């Protein structure tokens, strides 16, 4: 399974390089398109994607398929591969990719993004990966969110982000699940703009009783008393959580919130409505499982599964019953007692 983990890590770093390439010059050259009704998140009055979202996803798919060809047709993501009438694909050479991109963005930006597509990846997280159980790729599927918190990404690139928001809230989320059961087994969260753009990657594996996770040199602490929510959460639920003794904080980005739980910076994340999707939660879910936590439906309290049929409209992959993500079972029980 180390090969699978390495493929997901490299795919996340490829997507992260593309995201960072958009910040390497001044001026608003980031192509932004509004999503159609069937693709949009109902939480937002208007939902957007960028050229970076689409290109990062296609690159991540290619990276995984080149390493694990039998997985190629089972890699799915948030975005369709078309933006402003142009189908985005990775070409044979950097020059050809730049030419394709230049049909919708300035040539200087196209060249920079194409370079990030074709350059070699040097990802130190892949050094000395542990031995983990063999996993049959014929039973695997993958979900990708190429750039989570797109609104924060756009604001950050344009220099319009509010303090404590913007680029640090952006994540790349990749998770592998068992097609037979839908259980998430390998997860990667890449935070491209952490530490001034140096970035960081965390990962987790939870399979056949083996639980391993990596968060860099950060010591994971437990006993945190913070519950994370979105700004759109129902006021009565927020009040219930506060009254139970939790500190409640609203921060942007589903992946950013789930990262904070995995790092021990928060105890849980509650979403009472269907505003997250399989691509948001698959990778982080595997990491939380690996470190002794988990992610369940807000309504049924059953674990979210990821082996949905292919070919559905994006809304068909919504976690429509809401979610509860938690760092440990004690936190989960306290949350359930609070909400009951």
């Amino acid at each position: 399974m180390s090969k699978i983990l390495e493929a997901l890590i490299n795919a996340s770093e490829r997507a992260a390089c593309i995201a960072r390439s958009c910040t390497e010059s001044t001026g608003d050259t980031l192509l932004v398109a509004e999503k159609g009704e069937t693709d949009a998140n109902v939480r937002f009055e208007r939902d957007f994607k960028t050229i970076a979202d689409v290109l990062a996803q296609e690159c991540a798919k290619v990276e995984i398929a080149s390493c694990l060809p039998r997985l190629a047709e089972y890699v799915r993501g948030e975005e369709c591969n078309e933006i402003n009438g142009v189908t985005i694909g990775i070409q044979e050479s950097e020059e050809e990719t730049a030419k394709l991109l230049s049909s919708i963005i300035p040539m200087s930006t196209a060249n920079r993004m194409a370079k990030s597509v074709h350059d070699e990846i040097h990802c130190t997280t892949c050094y000395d990966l542990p031995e983990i159980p063999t996993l049959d790729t014929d039973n695997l599927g993958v979900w990708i969110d190429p750039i989570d918190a797109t609104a924060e990404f756009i604001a950050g690139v344009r220099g319009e982000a509010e303090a404590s928001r913007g680029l640090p809230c952006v994540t790349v989320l990749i998770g592998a699940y068992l097609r037979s059961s839908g259980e998430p087994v390998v997860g990667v969260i890449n935070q491209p703009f952490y530490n001034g753009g140096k970035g960081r990657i965390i990962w987790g594996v939870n399979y056949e009783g083996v639980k391993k996770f990596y968060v860099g040199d950060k010591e994971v602490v437990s006993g945190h008393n913070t519950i994370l929510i979105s700004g759109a959460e129902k006021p009565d639920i927020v009040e219930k959580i506060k009254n139970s003794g939790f500190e409640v904080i609203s921060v942007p980005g589903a992946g950013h919130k789930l990262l904070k739980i995995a790092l021990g910076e928060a105890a849980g994340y509650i979403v009472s409505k269907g505003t997250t999707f399989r691509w948001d939660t698959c990778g982080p879910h595997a990491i939380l499982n690996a470190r002794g936590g988990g992610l369940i439906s807000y309504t049924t309290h059953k674990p979210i599964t990821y082996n949905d049929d292919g070919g559905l409209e994006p809304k068909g992959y919504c976690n429509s019953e809401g979610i509860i993500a938690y760092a440990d079972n004690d936190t989960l029980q306290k949350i359930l007692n609070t909400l009951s």
Side-chain angles (χ1 to χ4, degrees):
M1 196 200 289
S2 294
K3 188 175 182 182
I4 295 166
L5 176 57
E6 183 175 358
L8 300 195
I9 290 172
N10 281 333
S12 80
E13 185 59 17
R14 177 67 71 193
C17 288
I18 291 167
R20 285 192 288 263
S21 76
C22 297
T23 67
E24 292 172 7
S25 73
T26 58
D28 181 10
T29 55
L30 183 67
L31 177 68
V32 178
E34 185 168 0
K35 292 186 180 183
E37 184 178 345
T38 58
D39 295 343
N41 187 331
V42 295
R43 183 186 151 211
F44 304 113
E45 184 177 343
R46 302 176 72 193
D47 194 9
F48 297 92
K49 66 180 178 182
T50 72
I51 182 66
D53 289 90
V54 180
L55 186 62
Q57 179 172 290
E58 294 310 299
C59 279
K61 285 182 175 181
V62 168
E63 194 74 40
I64 294 168
S66 65
C67 184
L68 303 162
R70 290 158 74 177
L71 253 183
E73 64 180 295
Y74 299 103
V75 180
R76 299 185 280 183
E78 175 180 5
E79 312 296 353
C80 74
N81 63 347
E82 180 273 331
I83 185 166
N84 280 27
V86 175
T87 299
I88 301 301
I90 311 311
Q91 306 302 300
E92 289 294 321
S93 69
E94 181 178 324
E95 291 73 23
E96 290 173 305
T97 299
K99 182 179 178 181
L100 172 66
L101 297 176
S102 70
S103 64
I104 48 176
I105 56 177
M107 194 71 215
S108 59
T109 307
N111 283 332
R112 196 170 61 250
M113 294 186 80
K115 187 175 189 302
S116 70
V117 169
H118 291 274
D119 272 358
E120 277 192 46
I121 295 173
H122 301 286
C123 189
T124 57
T125 308
C126 288
Y127 301 161
D128 300 320
L129 290 177
E131 285 301 317
I132 42 185
T134 301
L135 187 55
D136 181 9
T137 54
D138 288 339
N139 189 29
L140 275 188
V142 174
W143 278 111
I144 299 171
D145 188 342
I147 297 180
D148 187 64
T150 297
E152 299 302 320
F153 177 65
I154 294 169
V157 170
R158 292 176 172 174
E160 299 169 355
E162 300 173 17
S164 76
R165 299 175 71 98
L167 296 176
C169 302
V170 171
T171 53
V172 178
L173 311 170
I174 305 183
Y177 62 90
L178 300 179
R179 299 206 306 266
S180 55
S181 66
E183 177 189 2
V185 289
V186 185
V188 174
I189 303 176
N190 191 315
Q191 191 178 17
F193 300 100
Y194 175 72
N195 194 16
K198 292 181 179 178
R200 66 174 164 186
I201 296 171
I202 73 167
W203 57 259
V205 173
N206 177 58
Y207 181 63
E208 290 191 343
V210 174
K211 295 177 181 288
K212 292 182 181 290
F213 67 97
Y214 169 85
V215 295
D217 56 7
K218 179 179 174 63
E219 182 180 353
V220 176
V221 295
S222 58
H224 212 289
N225 202 43
T226 300
I227 297 294
L228 304 175
I229 60 165
S230 79
E233 191 51 76
K234 297 175 183 175
D236 60 318
I237 291 174
V238 175
E239 201 59 32
K240 270 187 179 182
I241 301 167
K242 286 180 176 178
N243 290 341
S244 70
F246 285 113
E247 180 184 12
V248 178
I249 298 177
S250 172
V251 297
H256 183 218
K257 298 181 188 74
L258 293 164
L259 171 67
K260 284 183 170 294
I261 301 171
L263 293 173
E265 296 174 4
Y269 168 32
I270 295 174
V271 186
S272 65
K273 297 175 284 189
T275 56
T276 66
F277 292 78
R278 304 292 194 260
W279 48 76
D280 293 316
T281 56
C282 184
H285 190 170
I287 297 171
L288 293 178
N289 283 352
R291 61 148 290 178
L295 194 150
I296 61 174
S297 159
Y298 177 90
T299 305
T300 67
H301 304 161
K302 294 178 180 178
I304 302 294
T305 54
Y306 298 90
N307 57 343
D308 309 84
D309 292 338
L312 304 179
E313 288 187 352
K315 290 177 182 178
Y317 302 116
C318 180
N319 297 321
S320 57
E321 298 173 333
I323 63 167
I324 299 172
Y326 55 95
D328 53 61
N329 288 325
D330 288 344
T331 297
L332 173 61
Q333 196 54 57
K334 188 174 179 182
I335 290 172
L336 295 179
N337 291 342
T338 298
L339 297 174
S340 63

